[in-house]
Amino acid sequence: MNKMTNPQRLSIILWTVNLSSIAASVFSYVYLSYFVYSRTGNVLLSEWVLLAPMVMPIVLCLVIGRIANKTVPRRMLLLCNVVCLGCALLCYGLLEQHIWLAFLAALVIGFLDALQRVARTIAIKRYFSSADVKYAVPITLTAQFIAGGVAGVALAFYRSEITTMVANIIVSTGFLLAILAARLLPIESMTSGNVNLVQQQNQLARLWSLLSDNVNLRRHFFAFLIFVSIFQGFFNVSRITLPTHVLKLSQSWVGYLQIISASSALAGALLFVWLVKRKIVLNRPISVVLSGVALLAMGAASSLTQPLINYFLYFVFMLIWELLFFKYQADLVTVTPQEDMAQVATFQYAGVYLGMLITGTLGGILTEKIGLAACSGIFALLYLILMPLNALHGKQTADQAASTG
């Protein structure tokens, strides 16, 4: 039923849901953090608001997995955005009188945002054929990178002019648009097979069984975690530190870097689709070369002191990171059985957020002690060690299974 639906129409709908909901969510995280800092002057409290959404997918990953296995994507996207809309209207409306609601709103929206990210991955697997997955992943997921850039730019340039009422209108409009778009998704019923399996077996045990039995899935699963944790972790560390700490530039340049991030996402998606249409495969040798170029650009962008050159190199780094992100995500979705997509997607995002928290914390400490350039070198070294080890372990396991068989 789902495979017969027009893939272009579905891509547009999912893209709209993604863009609207994630833009509203990211805007909330950054604005609420800024609001807390402006009222208290406490950096730690402000950081807690930013970290809350990243902690939720880790702490509540089992809850997210259970909900994802019992609810079809359309229903989950609708309910999440409806609750997010209600949360925004309530919390922003009372924020001036009760500042603690900023932390509560970040927790609630962060949890629902994580649920939606899992639902979108499940939707791609359910709604698109295997041949269309590689098109659907970049077109659909590009929206989340663009949304982050748009929200970041708006707050970087206009946050002093945005009152809680204006913020409430912006956020609520985003969630409302996501609700309207989600209603256009195909209506379907939930199959009971996978629900029964998850009810009978512990989720962690089920994931371990999946990864143990499917060597190819395990290799792609951990490749995605390693790649995103290190590359996204460095982006999180550098997107403020590079313009302000390394280059000593004004706050406006932070916004320019967000524009570069959003532009690279769009360029990376279009390039990935162009390559797929021409049947140009990003195989392992090409991926290794691209990774090497990205790591060099990452190090150079952190070391030089010419803003235009630094930002150009950062664009190269982000462009390749986006391109490889789409490849690793598309590969993972392709090799995951449909009945296990909710399980894999849940722990995929939990693992990525945990990895980003670790690399973000490590990166912050390293940048404070030895500088951003040295931090990028250590991150590159970690990547060059972990990715080959993952590939080698997968090959050895596959060879052992073949010889045993």
Side-chain angles (χ1 to χ4, degrees):
M1 176 184 65
N2 297 328
K3 306 297 185 184
M4 299 302 294
T5 308
N6 187 324
Q8 291 183 342
R9 180 176 181 273
L10 282 174
S11 294
I12 293 172
I13 294 172
L14 284 174
W15 190 88
T16 304
V17 175
N18 247 10
L19 183 64
S20 303
S21 181
I22 295 181
S25 298
V26 174
F27 186 95
S28 287
Y29 307 150
V30 181
Y31 178 80
L32 292 171
S33 174
Y34 169 74
F35 180 85
V36 169
Y37 178 75
S38 66
R39 293 304 175 92
T40 66
N42 191 313
V43 176
L44 183 58
L45 287 177
S46 175
E47 286 298 313
W48 282 355
V49 174
L50 279 178
L51 289 176
M54 297 182 67
V55 172
M56 296 303 286
I58 302 170
V59 176
L60 297 179
C61 65
L62 297 179
V63 176
I64 292 171
R66 188 167 294 278
I67 295 173
N69 272 291
K70 291 183 177 182
T71 312
V72 295
R74 180 182 185 274
R75 187 181 307 158
M76 186 153 36
L77 291 171
L78 273 172
L79 289 176
C80 285
N81 283 292
V82 167
V83 178
C84 280
L85 176 60
C87 175
L89 290 171
L90 177 64
C91 291
Y92 278 94
L94 300 174
L95 194 57
E96 294 283 353
Q97 294 78 30
H98 305 284
I99 194 173
W100 59 269
L101 287 174
F103 187 69
L104 178 63
L107 286 173
V108 174
I109 294 175
F111 171 70
L112 296 169
D113 184 26
L115 259 178
Q116 289 192 72
R117 290 173 189 264
V118 174
R120 293 180 199 109
T121 307
I122 299 171
I124 291 173
K125 187 68 178 182
R126 291 174 71 94
Y127 295 154
F128 295 92
S129 66
S130 299
D132 291 327
V133 162
K134 290 187 181 295
Y135 299 100
V137 165
I139 296 300
T140 303
L141 298 185
T142 297
Q144 68 191 51
F145 299 106
I146 296 176
V150 170
V153 170
L155 286 166
F157 288 107
Y158 304 108
R159 64 183 179 183
S160 60
E161 290 83 10
I162 298 176
T163 64
T164 53
M165 180 180 296
V166 173
N168 198 356
I169 293 172
I170 293 172
V171 173
S172 298
T173 300
F175 289 131
L176 181 60
L177 288 175
I179 292 170
L180 296 175
R183 286 179 57 84
L184 301 176
L185 290 171
I187 299 175
E188 57 181 337
S189 59
M190 188 72 186
T191 56
S192 61
N194 196 40
V195 176
N196 293 335
L197 178 61
V198 174
Q199 288 175 342
Q200 295 169 5
Q201 190 174 22
N202 178 273
Q203 290 186 63
L204 287 173
R206 174 61 183 161
L207 179 69
W208 180 259
S209 176
L210 277 172
L211 299 180
S212 299
D213 296 340
N214 191 328
V215 177
N216 199 30
L217 173 60
R218 182 170 74 242
R219 179 170 61 85
H220 287 298
F221 181 83
F222 285 110
F224 183 87
L225 295 191
I226 295 168
F227 172 78
V228 177
S229 295
I230 293 178
F231 274 69
Q232 179 75 36
F234 180 79
F235 170 70
N236 291 340
V237 172
S238 61
R239 59 180 169 177
I240 303 295
T241 307
L242 178 62
T244 59
H245 182 68
V246 176
L247 299 175
K248 311 297 183 184
L249 299 171
S250 66
Q251 182 72 21
S252 297
W253 285 81
V254 176
Y256 299 150
L257 200 60
Q258 296 297 324
I259 294 174
I260 285 178
S261 172
S263 301
S264 66
L266 181 58
L270 295 175
L271 179 57
F272 187 82
V273 172
W274 183 85
L275 292 173
V276 170
K277 286 185 175 180
R278 280 153 184 77
K279 303 189 184 303
I280 300 175
V281 180
L282 296 180
N283 54 27
R284 188 172 298 171
I286 295 176
S287 299
V288 169
V289 172
L290 288 175
S291 298
V293 174
L295 293 173
L296 288 173
M298 181 178 81
S302 307
S303 306
L304 302 177
T305 55
Q306 298 295 323
L308 294 180
I309 297 176
N310 287 69
Y311 274 42
F312 171 75
L313 290 169
Y314 204 88
F315 177 85
V316 173
F317 159 67
M318 288 298 298
L319 175 67
I320 297 176
W321 131 244
E322 303 288 359
L323 190 63
L324 290 174
F325 172 86
F326 295 131
K327 171 200 159 38
Y328 287 124
Q329 180 67 82
D331 287 346
L332 181 58
V333 173
T334 301
V335 302
T336 303
Q338 181 171 309
E339 63 271 16
D340 298 311
M341 193 69 252
Q343 190 81 2
V344 172
T346 299
F347 286 97
Q348 167 197 353
Y349 283 111
V352 162
Y353 278 112
L354 178 59
M356 286 193 294
L357 283 175
I358 293 172
T359 54
T361 303
L362 175 64
I365 295 172
L366 290 173
T367 300
E368 183 71 25
K369 299 293 183 182
I370 60 179
L372 186 63
C375 172
S376 70
I378 293 175
F379 273 38
L381 182 62
L382 281 173
Y383 184 83
L384 293 173
I385 291 173
L386 294 176
M387 285 296 272
L389 282 177
N390 180 59
L392 179 62
H393 183 263
K395 184 178 183 304
Q396 289 176 342
T397 306
D399 291 343
Q400 291 174 0
S403 62
T404 303

